Every structure is written in C-alpha cells, then in structure tokens.
C-alpha cells in the first residue's frame, strides 16, 4: 500500500512514516498541502493520504482534503492532529 503523509513537522512525519513502513507500506512525505497537491498533479496516486489538520500557509489539512475529494473523489484521506485546544 502506498501512503502519502502530509505534515509540516518533519519529525512527526518521520514517526508516522516509520510506523507505516513497519506495517509494510510504501510511504511518501510532503511538507504541506501545496507540495502534496503538486505531487498528485504529477501523476502520483497513493492508496491513502494521511494529513495533519493544522499547517501554516494558505491551505490547511481540511482544505487539502476538500481539494483531494473534488479532484480525486475515490481517494481516502485521514485527517489527524496533535493539537489540543482546552
């Protein structure tokens, strides 16, 4: 299974990628929504996308998921966050 991990924190992305690789997944990492969209537009089609919700810049993870849903309607996206607002 090919998985795209999108996170602006390299250390977090590496931990997620490592766990997925231990499960036998082929993992690509992109550091934000736009690099992920560019990678997809170049023809890459992962089986799953896991994205952080909160990322700096004009697009966040929810925006990314919406655009993926529009352009790749059958692409599963899992949104995650380590941010907790109390």
């Amino acid at each position: 299974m090919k998985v795209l991990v999108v996170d602006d924190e390299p250390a977090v992305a590496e931990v997620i990628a490592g766990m997925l690789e231990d499960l036998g997944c082929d993992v690509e990492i992109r550091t934000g929504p736009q690099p992920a969209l560019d990678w997809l537009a170049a023809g890459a089609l992962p089986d799953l996308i896991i994205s952080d919700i909160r990322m700096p810049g004009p697009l966040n993870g929810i925006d990314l998921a919406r655009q993926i849903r529009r352009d790749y309607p059958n692409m599963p996206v899992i949104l995650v966050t380590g941010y907790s607002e109390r």
Side-chain angles (χ1 to χ4, degrees):
M1 173 181 269
K2 186 172 198 114
V3 180
L4 172 61
V5 174
V6 184
D7 199 304
D8 62 310
E9 294 289 337
V12 172
E14 289 294 332
V15 168
I16 295 169
M19 289 188 293
L20 292 167
E21 288 168 345
D22 286 347
L23 294 171
C25 296
D26 178 22
V27 181
E28 287 286 331
I29 296 173
R30 293 297 177 268
T31 58
Q34 194 57 58
L37 291 170
D38 293 344
W39 185 73
L40 292 168
L45 290 176
D47 299 301
L48 172 67
I49 298 171
I50 300 175
S51 176
D52 186 15
I53 293 174
R54 297 179 55 98
M55 292 181 276
L59 298 174
N60 61 34
I62 294 171
D63 299 324
L64 173 63
R66 286 182 178 138
Q67 189 158 343
I68 290 168
R69 182 66 58 215
R70 186 192 74 220
D71 297 342
Y72 310 91
N74 296 318
M75 179 69 59
V77 178
I78 297 174
L79 295 172
V80 298
T81 187
Y83 179 78
S84 175
E85 192 172 53
R86 291 185 179 226

